[in-house]
Each structure stands twice: as C-alpha cells, then as structure tokens.
Amino acid sequence: MSFRHETVLADEALALLAPAPGRTYVDGTVGGAGHAVRILDASGPDGRLIAVDRDPDALAAARERLAPYRERVTLVHDSFGNIADVLGRLGVDRVDGFLLDLGVSSHQLDTAERGFSFSHDGPLDMRMDPTRGDTALDLIRQLTRDELADVLRELGEERFSARIAAVIKERARAGDLATTAELAAVVTDAIPAKARRHMRIHPATRTFQALRIAVNRELEELARFLAAFPEWLAPGGRCVIISFHSLEDRLVKRRFRELESVSGLPPDLAARAGERTRPVCRRVTRKPIAPSDAEIARNPRARSARLRACEKVED
C-alpha cells in the first residue's frame, strides 16, 4: 500500500513532546507514522507507543512502517476522541505524552474513492473511517436546507451558505448529486460570478471542508479528547496538538488556558470558594507555532498548521 502523507512540523512537535527513554506515548492520529517513528527512536529500546487511527488505510501503512518496532507498538483502530476507552481497554493507567496531528491526510485527499477532494472525482463519501457512519451524501440528504446552511456557515465560514445549501438540496432531491465533481460544480454555480472572480481558493473549498468536518464529527471528537486527556497524562507529561482550522485551534487554546487557570478566579478568592488554586497543566506554547516559509514552500498543505502544547503539573 502506498500511503502518501508528509509529516507537518515534525521537528517542532518532537521537541515539544520531548520523548524520554522507557516512557509511554500516544500518537492519536498515527497516519503514515511520520511522527511515530521519531517518537519511538527518541524513547529508546524500552519506550512504548500506542498508535491510534480511525482510518484503516492509515493503520495498514503504520503497521508496515513500524514493523521494526513491533514489540514496542500497539496499533488501535479507533478515534482519539475515545482515548479514555482505548487506554482503559489496554489496561494503561498513565501515559507520558499525547500527540495529535489533526485534519486530513494527503492520502485521503489524493485517493479519489475516498471522496475528500474536488480535484479527484469520486463518490461523495468523506469518511475518515469508511467502515462506519454516514457519508457526505447521506448527510446532505438527512439535513434540512437550513441545517445544511448552518453547517456550511459555521464549519466552513462560507458567506454564501444559504444559496449553496438551497442548490445542493435541490440537486440532491433530483438525484443529480453523487460525486465530488458534481458537488464542486453545484457550489461554483451557486456563488455569484462577481464573487468568484475575487476568490483566491476554489469556490467549493469551504463547502468541502464543512461537510468533511461534519461527517467525521471532528470538533466533537477533539472536544472529547480535550476533556479526557488530563486524567491520563502523568505529571511532567505533555500534550502536543497540530491543528489546521481556526475552530480546532480555538478549542485547543481555550482548553489549555482552562487547565492552566482551572477556577478562573484569583488564588485568594478561589481558596475561599473551595476551588482548585493550582493549575492542572501549564502552557508550553503561549502562542501557536506555525510552519516555516521553507516548510510551506516544500509542502503547501502545511500553511494553515498551528502547533500548541501543554504540560501536566499535578494530579
């Protein structure tokens, strides 16, 4: 299997995760195992990696690439949003670090039958795990016009969401919408020609992004992980997250801030109210780390990546 994906912010993520010999780490989006190999190399012969992904293609590629480390790797077909269940099933009490590389892989984008991209005509699927759940076409059919417009506006920040949703629903009802090329054409036609002339991205980009996020419940999965991870992180352990969308980055930023100032009150008032006065985590990155110009030139898909990290300071 050829699984194509270039690891983003690889050096920066590894430096922040700071793997140490003999420790246990979780790569919640193992993908092509680019980050995983670095973690295993840095954690020495006794280090352990729990490699999670909901894409069977990604797990197959990771299994092949991580074969030299097989005794130290546990591969899990699941979503990082279920991390509490995953670690519970494995009998793991604590881990020394989490790494998430959010978003869609190059393999998913470039494989036509996965239906993620208008650049390759394929079925309207968009599922990161093609073995379960509703496809993008299923979602389009299930949502009302107004619900679909809300998805496009909230998850894609699409200013023409109402117009696009109306045309999509009309074409879906007529049975004229089944492929990524057809959806891209519908969206393009729904956007006024004057607006299209000033666009620096393909007119369908925001619609595809919104549908993909909705199909895979990406924000919900991230929120579940962010709620759960502190309980499973050992003191001194770090959580490192690479996001590719402002909504994802906002969730990470807000959660890391909450964990650094749990009560939201000054220490004296927090003590009087019986609130925790010490943080659960401290932010290692005050501002997100972005790819260098050189990395973006080498891999344009990295341009929107943002990296944040926090460190567990107490139980």
Side-chain angles (χ1 to χ4, degrees), residues 24-27 48-52 74 76 78-80 82-98 225 228-234:
T24 299
Y25 298 91
V26 173
D27 186 339
R48 180 185 179 189
L49 180 71
I50 300 168
V52 181
T74 302
V76 182
D78 210 329
S79 167
F80 59 77
N82 297 327
I83 194 61
D85 292 338
V86 169
L87 295 178
R89 291 198 305 268
L90 295 175
V92 175
D93 295 325
R94 293 290 180 91
V95 300
D96 299 288
F98 289 101
F225 172 85
F229 87 84
E231 180 181 349
W232 300 89
L233 190 60

Side-chain angles (χ1 to χ4, degrees), residues 3 5 7 27 29-40 49 51 53 58 61-66 75:
F3 190 95
H5 183 64
T7 305
D27 186 339
T29 51
V30 68
H35 289 296
V37 167
R38 288 170 173 258
I39 294 170
L40 287 162
L49 180 71
D53 209 295
R63 181 174 289 106
E64 181 177 338
R65 188 170 182 185
L66 298 177
L75 294 164

Side-chain angles (χ1 to χ4, degrees), residues 122-197:
L124 276 176
D125 194 316
M126 300 192 191
R127 291 173 297 171
M128 290 184 177
D129 183 352
T131 69
R132 65 189 73 173
D134 293 329
T135 67
L137 185 56
D138 293 331
L139 185 67
I140 288 169
R141 288 170 172 163
Q142 292 165 7
L143 296 177
T144 66
R145 182 186 64 185
D146 290 343
E147 289 170 340
L148 180 57
D150 288 343
V151 167
L152 302 185
R153 183 179 63 256
E154 294 170 9
L155 302 183
E157 299 174 306
E158 174 56 68
R159 58 185 288 214
F160 299 105
S161 58
R163 295 174 60 130
I164 293 171
V167 178
I168 287 177
K169 290 296 292 184
E170 180 182 341
R171 292 291 294 274
R173 282 194 296 268
D176 296 331
L177 191 65
T179 71
T180 56
E182 290 169 347
L183 176 61
V186 166
V187 174
T188 300
D189 289 344
I191 296 175
K194 183 178 179 181
R196 293 202 306 268
R197 285 195 292 270

Side-chain angles (χ1 to χ4, degrees), residues 23 40 45 57 105 118 143 159 181 183 199 216 218 241 280 305:
R23 303 294 177 86
L40 287 162
D57 289 351
S105 71
F118 44 77
L143 296 177
R159 58 185 288 214
L183 176 61
M199 288 183 172
N216 296 290
E218 293 176 34
I241 301 179
V280 174

